[in-house]
């Protein structure tokens, strides 16, 4: 495995105990082609919408400059599902992206990569839990609907991770099948 990371700008975190890292993990491709049918995915996407998710994220520009533009563009494209165009031999980072913006883009990217016939649900939590999209088989119109819902999500109150996870697990349980890949993604 090749592992690369970019750290959050440390100057903004002088008093924090936590630091954010953008991580790219790349596996070595197996040259033997296997004709394996992909299992149906049964996924609940659980998003933290607590107030802390409104915090802005900034990445250390010196670390961004030290990697090739193509590699960095691939890292960000994989994370948020869209290419960020390089400017003046550097990657252009938006002036203000929040933790929630990144989580929403990652969720949308996951939805776009899902197959028709997979099962998906969407749960948000702060100190309250809301199931915004109940577990059901994914259709083209369902993809459009859930992406619209994700785009409208905003931050609010405190944090109850356990209740959010439990609601996501309950949604997966509705359509759980031994032949599916059953997961909760927080």
């Amino acid at each position: 495995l090749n592992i690369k990371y970019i750290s959050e700008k440390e100057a903004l975190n002088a008093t924090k105990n936590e630091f954010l890292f953008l991580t790219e993990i790349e596996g070595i491709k197996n040259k033997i082609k296997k004709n394996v049918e992909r299992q149906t995915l049964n996924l609940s996407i659980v998003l933290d919408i607590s107030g802390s998710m409104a915090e802005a994220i900034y990445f250390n520009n010196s670390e961004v400059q030290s990697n090739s533009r193509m590699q960095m563009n691939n890292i960000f494209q994989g994370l948020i599902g869209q290419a960020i165009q390089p400017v003046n031999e550097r990657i252009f980072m938006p002036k203000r992206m929040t933790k929630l913006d990144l989580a929403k883009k990652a969720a949308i990217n996951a939805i776009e990569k899902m197959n028709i016939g997979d099962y998906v649900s969407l749960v948000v939590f702060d100190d309250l839990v809301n199931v915004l999209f109940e577990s059901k088989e994914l259709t083209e119109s369902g993809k459009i609907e859930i992406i619209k819902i994700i785009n409208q999500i905003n931050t609010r109150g405190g944090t109850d991770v356990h209740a959010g996870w439990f609601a996501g697990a309950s949604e997966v349980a509705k359509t759980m099948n031994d032949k599916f890949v059953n997961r909760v993604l927080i």
Side-chain angles (χ1 to χ4, degrees):
L1 291 175
N2 294 325
I3 301 174
K4 300 174 188 173
Y5 71 91
I6 302 169
S7 65
E8 183 179 18
K9 187 181 273 185
E10 292 182 25
L12 297 175
N13 283 317
T15 61
K16 282 189 176 180
N17 294 328
E18 297 177 6
F19 295 92
L20 295 173
F21 294 92
L22 175 63
T23 305
E24 175 185 22
I25 301 173
E26 179 181 54
I28 299 170
K29 291 184 180 179
N30 189 344
K31 294 186 181 192
I32 301 170
K33 288 193 174 189
K34 295 179 182 178
N35 193 8
V36 178
E37 189 175 317
R38 182 184 157 290
Q39 287 181 280
T40 300
L41 179 61
N42 179 17
L43 178 69
S44 182
I45 298 173
V46 180
L47 294 177
D48 178 355
I49 61 167
S50 64
S52 65
M53 294 297 285
E55 291 179 20
I57 302 296
Y58 301 95
F59 294 98
N60 186 331
N61 283 336
S62 64
E63 290 181 34
V64 170
Q65 292 173 14
S66 69
N67 291 294
S68 76
R69 291 184 312 157
M70 183 64 82
Q71 288 173 330
M72 293 308 299
N73 202 33
N74 289 341
I75 290 170
F76 292 114
Q77 183 176 1
L79 177 69
I80 64 174
Q82 66 186 38
I84 297 176
Q85 298 301 316
V87 176
N88 297 329
E89 301 300 315
R90 293 187 348 194
I91 298 300
F92 171 74
M93 289 296 294
K95 289 186 179 181
R96 186 177 190 280
M97 280 193 100
T98 65
K99 292 177 184 179
L100 183 59
D101 291 332
L102 290 174
K104 286 167 52 172
K105 288 183 182 284
I108 289 169
N109 192 28
I111 297 295
E112 289 174 341
K113 292 182 185 296
M114 291 179 73
N115 291 341
I116 301 305
D118 285 340
Y119 288 81
V120 66
S121 62
L122 177 65
V123 176
V124 296
F125 72 92
D126 54 349
D127 49 345
L128 302 172
V129 175
N130 298 100
V131 177
L132 301 182
F133 191 88
E134 290 191 12
S135 183
K136 59 183 158 185
E137 191 171 346
L138 196 58
T139 62
E140 283 297 334
S141 62
K143 277 189 177 189
I144 293 167
E145 181 184 351
I146 196 167
I147 289 170
K148 282 181 183 178
I149 292 169
I150 291 169
N151 280 323
Q152 295 173 1
I153 294 172
N154 293 306
T155 56
R156 53 183 202 206
T159 307
D160 187 351
V161 174
H162 180 265
W165 167 83
F166 187 78
S170 298
E171 288 300 310
V172 168
K174 289 179 181 178
T175 50
M176 194 157 178
N177 186 316
D178 290 341
K179 295 180 182 176
F180 294 174
V181 176
N182 303 287
R183 300 289 185 269
V184 176
L185 176 65
I186 298 180

